[in-house]
Amino acid sequence: MRRRVAVTGLGVVSSIGASVEELWRACLAGESRVEPIPASWLDYADFASRLWSPLPEPDWDAWGLGRIERLQNDRTALLAMVAAFQALDAAGIGRESRDEKRNTFALKDVAPERTGVSLGTGIGGISSALRSTLHQALTRPKESLRALRGRLGDTGPGALELLDSTERRLQAPARANPFAVAMTMPNTATSALSIKLSILGSQRTHCAACASGTVALGHGYRSIASGETDLVLAGGVEYLDDDYGAIFHSFDLARTLVRDADPARANRPFDRARSGFLFSQGGGAVLVLEELEQARARGASCLAEVAGFAETSDAYNLMVMEPEGRQIARAVEGALADAGLRPEEIDYVNAHGTGTVANDETETSVLARIFGSRPLVNSTKSLLGHTLGASGALEAVVTVLSLQHQTTHVCRNLEEPIADLNFVRRVDSYPIRNALSQSFAFGGHNAALVFKRIPQGGPP
Amino acid sequence: MGETDIRAEVFQRVRKVVAEVLKIGEDQITLESRYQEDLKADSFDTLSLLVALEDEFDRTLEDEGSLQLATVGETVDFILSQGAQAAVG
């Protein structure tokens, strides 16, 4: 018999909140963080999109992640650790020191062999890879430029200044990092988290571009449901920053990012005036998934049940969604069937809702076909921007909070909807029994999760 | 700043970094302390020490030379040989 899976803890690091409480307050207030891209990037390219959602620096030291670990770990691994610590604290699972020198822990009253990690990431340790590459590629050429300057003497007005400015623009980390290989691996966050918490069961990294977080949660759920594990730390992480704006520029060149120059209005999923997605510097979310009976037996608070999951592939194009959304529909219907629910039993859909012209069109047509205009629909990306591989996990957190609190956030900047769906226009008390969270991705990944409400104070 | 003072300051900072990496008290670290035998540093610790010392002194320490340092005192001398004034600047 398939075992039931509960969510017992949530943890997040996001542009609008470095804790679940901060994130939820900001969500209900409809807040967003949108700023001009760093001015230094403009030295290197002409950008069509000039806005992004920066991620405030977490207080690493407060989470026990000191200088040494920050030098040894990719930012995605650190984000995973902070989100996991929050989620475990919320789930009431303590940790005790295992190796003081390595700063590792063991989870209290949890069998490490029956515990797993399932994390999604779109591009893994790309920031570390770029830093390592830039250090090697530019360090000696910069030295050559400095040597050349010394030999030039009087070369006429402006020549030395030009040389100096060229040398300055070749930004590179001052030092090589011997941990670069480990920091660059796509599995770096998953593995670092497993080591940090002495977890001995399966550790899996799911690379499904913008659906990675949803896929990772789905496989975490299946691992527990099938009996492979009893507890899984599941979620997604992403960190997309470099001194040149190179990662941002790749998405800009693909014509996927917001074009509107007004920070207050640029990011507007499902609106007629939408122009692309808001690029986020990064973020992370981790959920504690637990076998339901075990969670109840230890007196844990069950926030929601993960009741269904399905994923499909478009087999269509690496960067373009199949316009009819046939495989998206099949993912949604598969997740509903897995949960044993009919479309009319879904009260809320946390949509992928990127804000790109084509994606929103396809997504709304699929939602209308399957659900009509009854369930509430919102886009958490209208607040957070797009965190790629972390987005599905952050949206799952918002979905669980919506079930728990029986309310949800608005679609920010939605003034003229592109479809006749029940978009959330105001924060109110909403009866939400079951909810769907869906993600689609470059590469043709489609994934959907179904969550059921668990009323506080007792079964079901 | 005299040569003795500079060496003392570099030692103080090296000791702080070694304590931070190996999670031991600074009072256990002397100029004569041997990384492997006395301070129980393994190969991963050696890499961590290198990265942390580079961060502390904001400079590249020539990898091959620095990885062969056996004692804390040798590390202090190595850093001083790379430019004493800059080391405490």
Side-chain angles (χ1 to χ4, degrees):
Chain A
M1 198 184 98
R2 189 171 78 179
R3 308 193 310 163
R4 293 173 70 188
V5 179
V7 180
T8 58
L10 307 172
V12 297
V13 183
S14 78
S15 60
I16 58 169
S19 70
V20 170
E21 293 72 23
E22 277 180 40
L23 171 72
W24 189 233
R25 185 205 61 74
C27 280
L28 294 184
E31 291 174 8
S32 190
R33 184 180 167 121
V34 188
E35 293 180 8
I37 57 176
S40 58
W41 291 0
L42 305 178
D43 272 350
Y44 304 102
D46 297 321
F47 294 89
S49 180
R50 298 288 187 99
L51 297 171
W52 76 330
S53 185
L55 179 70
E57 186 79 2
D59 186 354
W60 306 114
D61 287 308
W63 290 104
L65 300 168
R67 166 170 69 159
I68 309 299
E69 281 188 272
R70 297 206 292 272
L71 290 165
Q72 292 169 339
N73 286 286
D74 182 68
R75 191 62 64 95
T76 56
L78 298 168
L79 290 170
M81 290 178 198
V82 170
F85 290 164
Q86 291 178 25
L88 288 164
D89 289 348
I93 297 170
R95 40 186 198 279
E96 55 200 1
S97 177
R98 180 164 172 265
D99 181 336
E100 198 183 339
K101 186 162 82 175
R102 299 277 189 256
N103 199 25
T104 59
F105 300 87
L107 299 178
K108 284 186 187 167
D109 304 319
V110 169
E113 299 85 356
R114 301 280 308 156
T115 302
V117 177
S118 179
L119 290 185
T121 181
I123 325 189
I126 188 171
S127 295
S128 293
L130 284 172
R131 287 179 62 77
S132 177
T133 304
L134 289 167
H135 171 78
Q136 187 184 342
L138 298 184
T139 299
R140 290 182 186 176
K142 279 165 72 74
E143 286 168 6
S144 300
L145 280 176
R146 283 194 288 266
L148 176 65
R149 189 191 197 285
R151 290 165 59 177
L152 279 179
D154 185 8
T155 53
L160 291 179
E161 288 75 5
L162 180 61
L163 198 61
D164 288 343
S165 73
T166 303
E167 198 268 334
R168 270 199 306 276
R169 287 164 71 179
L170 299 177
Q171 295 185 70
R175 298 177 294 275
N177 189 330
F179 300 106
V181 172
M183 293 165 75
T184 299
M185 308 185 302
N187 57 319
T188 195
T190 309
S191 300
L193 186 59
S194 299
I195 293 163
K196 170 65 81 180
L197 297 170
S198 312
I199 289 170
L200 304 177
S202 58
Q203 50 141 323
R204 299 193 179 109
T205 304
H206 298 273
C207 287
C210 304
S212 299
T214 301
V215 169
L217 280 160
H219 286 277
Y221 147 74
R222 282 184 181 167
S223 171
I224 297 171
S226 70
E228 183 198 31
T229 52
D230 296 328
L231 187 150
V232 174
L233 296 176
V237 284
E238 205 74 82
Y239 187 73
L240 304 169
D241 196 14
D242 64 88
D243 288 337
Y244 297 80
I247 307 169
F248 181 97
H249 193 225
S250 302
F251 285 91
D252 195 40
L253 286 172
R255 305 289 187 270
T256 56
L257 304 181
V258 290
R259 295 299 179 93
D260 194 326
D262 179 359
R265 293 172 44 85
N267 184 26
R268 41 199 319 118
F270 300 126
D271 189 88
R272 287 191 193 285
R274 71 198 183 283
S275 61
F277 74 75
L278 175 69
F279 183 96
S280 168
Q281 187 179 8
V286 170
L287 292 79
V288 176
L289 305 184
E290 244 180 306
E291 195 276 319
L292 186 74
E293 294 311 319
Q294 171 187 294
R296 283 191 171 137
R298 71 173 185 85
S301 180
C302 296
L303 310 177
E305 179 177 356
V306 188
F309 169 67
E311 59 183 330
T312 63
S313 170
D314 275 355
Y316 179 77
N317 187 286
L318 275 175
M319 294 172 74
V320 180
M321 184 183 278
E322 188 275 302
E324 298 298 316
R326 280 181 282 253
Q327 302 313 316
I328 292 175
R330 214 163 59 80
V332 171
E333 287 159 355
L336 291 175
D338 190 39
L341 293 174
R342 299 184 305 277
E344 57 270 28
E345 292 174 288
I346 295 291
D347 296 321
Y348 163 52
V349 176
N350 188 303
H352 188 56
T354 56
T356 63
V357 172
N359 285 18
D360 285 7
E361 198 71 51
T362 300
E363 182 170 24
T364 50
S365 74
V366 171
L367 289 176
R369 287 206 300 274
I370 297 175
F371 297 105
S373 58
R374 203 192 65 80
L376 297 161
V377 176
N378 64 8
S379 161
T380 299
K381 293 184 185 76
S382 73
L383 306 174
L384 293 178
H386 199 348
T387 55
L388 306 197
S391 64
L394 285 160
E395 289 155 21
V397 166
V398 168
T399 305
V400 170
L401 289 166
S402 301
L403 280 162
Q404 200 186 341
H405 297 285
Q406 295 288 284
T407 186
T408 194
H409 67 77
V410 299
C411 279
R412 186 178 159 89
N413 286 329
L414 181 56
E415 291 169 6
E416 288 187 64
I418 55 167
D420 183 24
L421 297 178
N422 187 14
F423 291 112
V424 183
R425 311 301 287 270
R426 62 192 167 87
V427 174
D428 205 342
S429 177
Y430 298 113
I432 306 173
R433 296 163 297 169
N434 307 297
L436 180 91
S437 181
Q438 58 187 11
S439 301
F440 325 125
F442 274 15
H445 301 269
N446 307 300
L449 283 163
V450 173
F451 294 90
K452 284 184 178 174
R453 182 180 184 222
I454 296 181
Q456 296 307 296
Chain B
M1 193 180 273
E3 222 170 88
T4 317
D5 294 338
I6 293 170
R7 193 160 195 268
E9 184 177 336
V10 172
F11 170 54
Q12 193 185 16
R13 289 170 70 185
V14 169
R15 185 160 66 171
K16 182 186 77 173
V17 169
V18 173
E20 192 181 351
V21 171
L22 301 179
K23 299 285 193 313
I24 55 177
E26 288 189 26
D27 54 357
Q28 296 174 50
I29 303 163
T30 67
L31 283 167
E32 291 73 38
S33 298
R34 295 168 298 173
Y35 289 115
Q36 288 178 24
E37 296 84 349
D38 302 328
L39 305 179
K40 309 299 177 203
D42 59 22
S43 59
F44 186 82
D45 295 328
T46 308
L47 283 182
S48 301
L49 273 169
L50 172 65
V51 170
L53 287 166
E54 288 187 332
D55 187 63
E56 175 68 25
F57 291 96
D58 194 20
R59 64 180 46 219
T60 299
L61 301 173
E62 190 198 341
D63 294 13
E64 290 317 309
S66 59
L67 283 171
Q68 284 160 19
L69 301 170
T71 69
V72 172
E74 286 174 23
T75 304
V76 171
D77 291 335
F78 182 78
I79 289 167
L80 287 168
S81 75
Q82 303 260 308
Q85 286 302 330
V88 295

